[in-house]
């Protein structure tokens, strides 16, 4: 190892030790910053304008975090109290933009990691969007619609002071879908007495965009298509395993089927289903109704389709396939899973979720050299169409489904192209993790440098 290489590693280690010291016990945030700095530090050290500006120190400190209490009354009349946050991470290239997550596992660390990732993901889309994330430890599971409504209205009563179409534009994430966005938007509109595009993922009747619901899952598949095409391959006839059965997972499955691939698995937090015959369009339509209208559990699939098997408490990575799409949550694919996938002959892993692979799993997959797409590139289609929803709101003109889908495809192609620009080496070997991180970094860093010291 050369002296320069040792020094780069030393810089990465010292930098991350500082992150850990300044952000105690925020493990998810440490992990996201570690992955980023491993890729970006060598680039920073070889470009003096960035190292002189202490740009990484500045980029890893959020602009601000708003923390607040959310009190609401449940159907029994009991007063409940949750905590909510909005992490406004960086608005160098546009108004803050990013989803809201409602899940009992939400902490400041989780939202800081998500906000940090969002900054570079949004930069990759080429649209003028800064990065933010918010949410609450509220658990929507098992709550009535009225309880969810009261919670959302209470949360927005405070959040409305901090957002706006030119300031910060929240959207959905885990536990926040059309129902929650509708309650949040309705309350925002009442409080402001203005109809403004301060949230995305809205219903089609009140300023939502066609394709936004499908966009993240579709985008993951469009991105994967480009990865395979670069190797003169296609999705046709490939087999796939997917985790999750929420918004991202279901539309990832839908687009894979449209491309002629076969889908074997879906999951939720209680386990996964394996259908050896493949989950076809009809079966997927049944799951969509189960999940969206009945808010049911994935294990109900095996009652409807008895040749399928439900594996309680497990993730789907043991099932042999060509392609894997982790689309549920963070750290759902560890090093042992990565090894198993590779032993089973996996060709491509594309992250539909944010940071679903542990750092060790990412290291392993990069070392082995399979096609691996990090979330900030692969799942950017959702926020990209959110950006297009903002454009349509500003124009006061809705675009057609075909038009939005075409723009989404162009954006995913553009993201792939940027990954190639920064991630391809002399032998044409591609490292999508390096490519995505450096491409996102350059765009945000150059804007920050232009503003001077801030
Ligand atoms: P949904 O709430 O629609 O679905 C989440 C799915 O993941 C459910 O099947 C859920 O199962 C499962 N899940 C959630 N938490 C856990 C957990 N701790 N352990 C195991 N399974 C879990 O969310 P989305 O589909 O919107 O989001 C999924 C992922 O994609 C997240 O990482 C999100 O940040 C990311 N993402 C979402 C985008 C979007 O536009 N919605 C855009 C880009 C990324 P259960 O019902 O049992 O909880
Ligand atoms: O992680 C994500 O990119 C999202 N949850 C979507 C954010 C958005 O603003 O649409």
């Amino acid at each position: 190892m050369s002296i320069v290489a040792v020094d780069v590693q030393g810089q990465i280690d010292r930098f991350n030790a500082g992150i850990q010291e300044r952000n105690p016990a925020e493990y998810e945030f440490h992990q996201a910053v570690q992955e980023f700095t491993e890729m970006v530090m060598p680039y920073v050290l070889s470009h003096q304008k960035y190292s002189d500006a202490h740009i990484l120190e500045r980029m890893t400190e959020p602009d601000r975090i708003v923390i607040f209490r959310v009190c609401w009354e449940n159907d029994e009349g009991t007063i409940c109290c949750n905590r909510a946050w909005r992490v406004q991470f960086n608005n160098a290239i546009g108004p803050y933009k990013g989803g809201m997550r409602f899940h009992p596992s939400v902490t400041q660390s989780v939202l800081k990691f998500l906000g940090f990732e969002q900054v570079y993901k949004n930069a990759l889309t080429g649209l003028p969007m800064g990065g933010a994330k918010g949410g609450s430890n509220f658990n929507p599971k098992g709550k009535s619609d009225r309880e969810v409504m009261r919670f959302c209205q209470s949360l927005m009563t405070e959040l409305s002071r901090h957002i706006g179409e030119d300031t910060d534009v929240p959207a959905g994430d885990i536990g926040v879908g059309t129902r929650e966005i509708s309650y949040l938007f309705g309350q925002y509109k009442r409080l402001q007495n203005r109809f403004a595009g301060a949230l995305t993922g809205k219903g089609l009747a009140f300023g939502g965009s066609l394709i936004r619901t499908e966009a993240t899952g579709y985008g993951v598949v469009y991105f994967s298509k480009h990865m395979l095409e670069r190797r003169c391959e296609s999705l046709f006839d490939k087999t796939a395993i997917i985790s999750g059965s929420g918004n991202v997972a279901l539309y990832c499955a839908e687009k894979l089927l449209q491309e002629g691939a076969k889908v074997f698995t879906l999951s939720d937090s209680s386990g996964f289903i394996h259908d050896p015959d493949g989950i076809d369009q009809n079966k997927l339509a049944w799951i969509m109704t189960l999940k969206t209208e009945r808010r049911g559990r994935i294990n109900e699939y095996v009652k409807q389709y008895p040749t399928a098997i439900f594996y309680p408490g497990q993730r789907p990575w043991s099932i042999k396939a060509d392609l894997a799409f982790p689309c549920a949550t963070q750290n759902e694919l560890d090093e042992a899973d990565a090894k198993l996938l590779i032993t089973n002959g996996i060709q491509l892993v594309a992250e539909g979720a944010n940071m679903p692979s542990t750092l060790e799993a990412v290291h392993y997959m990069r070392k082995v050299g399979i096609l691996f797409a990090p979330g900030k590139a692969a799942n950017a289609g959702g926020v990209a169409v959110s950006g297009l929803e903002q454009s349509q709101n500003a124009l006061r003109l809705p675009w057609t489904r075909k038009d939005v889908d075409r723009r989404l495809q162009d954006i995913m192609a553009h993201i792939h192209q940027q990954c190639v620009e920064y991630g391809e080496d002399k032998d044409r070997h591609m490292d999508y993790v390096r490519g995505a991180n450096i491409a996102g970094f350059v765009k945000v860093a150059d804007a920050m440098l232009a503003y001077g010291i801030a």
Side-chain angles (χ1 to χ4, degrees):
M1 195 183 275
S2 73
I3 291 169
V4 174
V6 170
D7 190 46
V8 171
Q9 191 55 50
Q11 295 270 13
I12 294 170
D13 292 344
R14 277 191 293 283
F15 186 82
N16 282 288
I19 289 286
Q20 289 169 25
E21 200 181 316
R22 290 191 297 281
N23 304 276
E26 294 189 340
Y27 303 113
E28 294 84 1
F29 181 57
H30 302 166
Q31 183 183 337
V33 174
Q34 172 98 29
E35 180 194 296
F36 181 77
T37 48
E38 281 176 1
M39 297 299 108
V40 169
M41 185 69 84
Y43 191 83
V44 168
L45 293 177
S46 59
H47 293 77
Q48 206 186 341
K49 64 175 178 174
Y50 299 130
S51 48
D52 282 355
H54 289 251
I55 200 75
L56 287 177
E57 283 85 337
R58 292 156 63 182
M59 284 176 145
T60 47
E61 207 58 61
D63 289 351
R64 70 187 66 76
I65 303 177
V66 185
I67 312 178
F68 52 100
R69 180 178 72 240
V70 182
C71 286
W72 56 283
E73 207 173 346
N74 72 12
D75 289 344
E76 284 75 52
T78 306
I79 297 167
C80 305
C81 185
N82 286 94
R83 185 179 296 175
W85 293 259
R86 187 74 183 163
V87 179
Q88 297 181 329
F89 219 108
N90 187 305
N91 68 351
I93 64 165
Y96 301 108
K97 180 85 197 87
M100 295 288 288
R101 177 178 290 192
F102 294 169
H103 195 273
S105 64
V106 166
T107 60
Q108 181 164 302
S109 168
V110 167
L111 296 175
K112 278 173 72 176
F113 115 66
L114 288 163
F116 182 74
E117 291 280 296
Q118 199 80 47
V119 174
Y120 305 98
K121 181 196 306 193
N122 293 3
L124 285 169
T125 66
L127 300 174
M129 300 184 290
K133 200 82 183 191
S136 172
N137 56 4
F138 173 75
N139 185 2
K141 256 190 227 127
K143 303 284 191 303
S144 69
D145 287 352
R146 285 294 164 87
E147 287 176 325
V148 172
M149 180 193 78
R150 288 193 290 272
F151 173 79
C152 288
Q153 291 180 339
S154 180
L155 182 140
M156 184 51 83
T157 302
E158 173 61 34
L159 187 66
S160 64
R161 305 172 210 269
H162 309 287
I163 64 170
E165 68 273 33
D166 295 320
T167 325
D168 182 358
V169 184
D173 194 77
I174 291 177
V176 179
T178 311
R179 175 183 63 172
E180 290 74 18
I181 292 291
S182 304
Y183 292 143
L184 291 166
F185 182 71
Q187 181 74 349
Y188 180 80
K189 183 173 67 57
R190 281 169 80 193
L191 290 165
Q192 299 287 315
N193 192 27
R194 272 183 340 120
F195 196 103
L199 287 128
T200 61
K202 299 186 290 297
L204 293 176
F206 48 93
S209 173
L210 288 160
I211 299 282
R212 175 61 189 90
T213 309
E214 298 89 335
T216 311
Y218 279 18
V220 175
V221 178
Y222 294 149
F223 193 86
S224 304
K225 226 173 134 175
H226 286 294
M227 295 169 85
L228 288 167
E229 277 168 5
R230 200 177 151 275
R231 291 194 172 178
C232 304
E233 289 197 52
S234 82
L235 287 164
F236 188 74
D237 260 356
K238 293 271 192 308
T239 54
I241 49 178
I242 303 179
S243 67
S245 52
N247 172 269
V248 180
L250 296 182
Y251 289 99
C252 175
E254 180 170 280
K255 187 52 77 180
L256 282 171
L257 296 183
Q258 288 171 12
E259 293 289 333
K262 200 165 184 175
V263 175
F264 286 146
T265 69
L266 288 167
S267 74
D268 62 22
S269 53
S270 23
F272 79 93
I273 52 128
H274 176 209
D275 187 336
D277 302 328
I279 300 166
D280 62 19
Q281 300 275 7
N282 288 334
K283 294 171 179 174
L284 187 62
W286 183 87
I287 301 171
M288 296 238 185
T289 309
L290 169 81
K291 283 288 168 182
T292 52
E293 286 172 26
R294 293 203 277 121
R295 295 184 186 272
R297 308 296 300 160
I298 200 66
N299 63 8
E300 296 175 46
Y301 183 90
V302 297
K303 287 187 213 120
Q304 183 73 12
Y305 302 104
T307 52
I309 304 163
F310 176 65
Y311 293 87
Q314 291 186 46
R315 291 168 179 150
W317 314 130
S318 57
I319 304 300
K320 201 168 162 23
D322 302 315
L323 320 167
F325 299 94
C327 295
T329 193
Q330 64 271 7
N331 292 328
E332 54 165 324
L333 196 164
D334 63 19
E335 189 178 10
D337 298 322
K339 286 184 172 158
L340 188 58
L341 287 172
I342 287 158
T343 307
N344 283 340
I346 207 83
Q347 290 176 31
L348 174 150
V349 177
E351 294 187 330
N354 286 306
M355 207 170 75
S357 316
T358 64
L359 200 55
E360 296 75 23
V362 175
H363 288 162
Y364 189 76
M365 291 188 279
R366 287 180 59 235
K367 193 174 83 188
V368 173
I370 58 158
L371 291 173
F372 173 74
K376 54 171 79 74
N379 73 38
V383 75
V385 175
S386 276
L388 301 178
E389 182 173 328
Q390 290 178 264
S391 308
Q392 293 168 78
N393 291 166
L395 282 169
R396 296 182 194 278
L397 268 183
W399 293 335
T400 63
R401 193 179 163 85
K402 203 170 150 202
D403 196 358
V404 180
D405 195 26
R406 165 57 42 207
R407 288 173 196 262
L408 169 62
Q409 290 184 43
D410 289 349
I411 290 171
M412 297 316 293
H414 169 70
I415 296 173
H416 186 266
Q417 185 46 45
Q418 289 173 87
C419 289
V420 173
E421 188 179 334
Y422 289 98
E424 190 179 51
D425 68 17
K426 288 188 288 296
D427 307 326
R428 268 201 97 235
H429 173 261
M430 257 307 290
D431 184 338
Y432 285 93
V433 183
R434 186 154 53 90
N437 280 297
I438 298 179
F441 163 82
V442 168
K443 182 146 189 215
V444 178
D446 285 349
M448 290 175 73
L449 291 194
Y451 298 136
I453 300 170

